[in-house]
């Protein structure tokens, strides 16, 4: 539906995973030097497409347009965007994801421009 994702597997069973939902994160890609991107992350069981109830973590990395298979990706939590929900159609889900992406970009800009 136009939102490529990186499927995330935590590197340790000791990692705390947030509740199911959609979140704004900061994605840090470790290559020759670290690059940072805003990321829209879904944690949950993909209720619109999958009835298996298998929990997954999928990150749509905004502004990244290349293959990252095998690379180290670090995610830093920023803010919860909304609860995970079932949509009536792929088109309805896509419309919500577009709104979520815009929210994530706005949240990321606020975080990046504020003194820490």
């Amino acid at each position: 539906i136009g939102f490529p994702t990186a499927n995330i597997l935590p590197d340790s069973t000791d990692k705390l995973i947030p509740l199911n939902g959609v979140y704004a994160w900061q994605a840090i890609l470790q290559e020759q030097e670290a690059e940072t991107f805003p990321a829209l992350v879904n944690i949950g069981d993909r209720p619109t497409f999958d009835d298996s109830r298998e929990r997954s973590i999928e990150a749509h990395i905004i502004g990244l347009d290349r293959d990252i298979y095998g690379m180290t990706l670090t995610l830093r939590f920023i803010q919860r965007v909304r609860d995970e929900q079932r949509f009536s159609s792929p088109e309805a889900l896509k419309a919500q994801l577009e709104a979520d992406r815009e929210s994530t970009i706005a949240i990321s800009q606020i975080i990046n421009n504020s003194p820490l």
Side-chain angles (χ1 to χ4, degrees):
I1 61 175
F3 285 82
T5 59
N7 297 313
I8 307 298
L9 297 173
D11 59 1
S12 168
T13 57
D14 294 333
K15 298 281 180 167
L16 294 175
I17 308 298
L19 294 173
N20 288 5
V22 177
Y23 296 86
W25 292 71
Q26 187 178 55
I28 303 150
L29 182 61
Q30 305 292 333
E31 285 188 280
Q32 290 87 13
E33 57 185 70
E35 292 180 86
T36 303
F37 301 88
L40 177 63
V41 177
N42 183 74
I43 300 172
D45 55 19
R46 303 176 42 175
T48 301
F49 293 111
D50 192 356
D51 289 327
S52 71
R53 297 297 204 208
E54 186 175 324
R55 196 163 193 236
S56 65
I57 304 170
E58 298 176 294
H60 172 65
I61 304 169
I62 301 166
L64 182 68
D65 188 24
R66 65 182 182 272
D67 185 344
I68 61 169
Y69 282 100
M71 294 181 188
T72 300
L73 179 68
T74 301
L75 293 174
R76 288 191 184 144
F77 174 82
I78 298 176
Q79 180 176 322
R80 184 176 173 90
V81 174
R82 65 175 172 83
D83 290 339
E84 184 179 46
Q85 65 189 85
R86 179 182 298 268
F87 291 89
S88 60
S89 68
E91 294 77 21
L93 172 59
K94 183 176 180 176
Q96 181 62 56
L97 288 174
E98 288 171 354
D100 295 340
R101 179 170 42 198
E102 293 306 313
S103 295
T104 298
I105 291 168
I107 291 164
S108 180
Q109 288 173 339
I110 290 168
I111 295 299
N112 288 333
N113 290 327
S114 66
L116 298 177

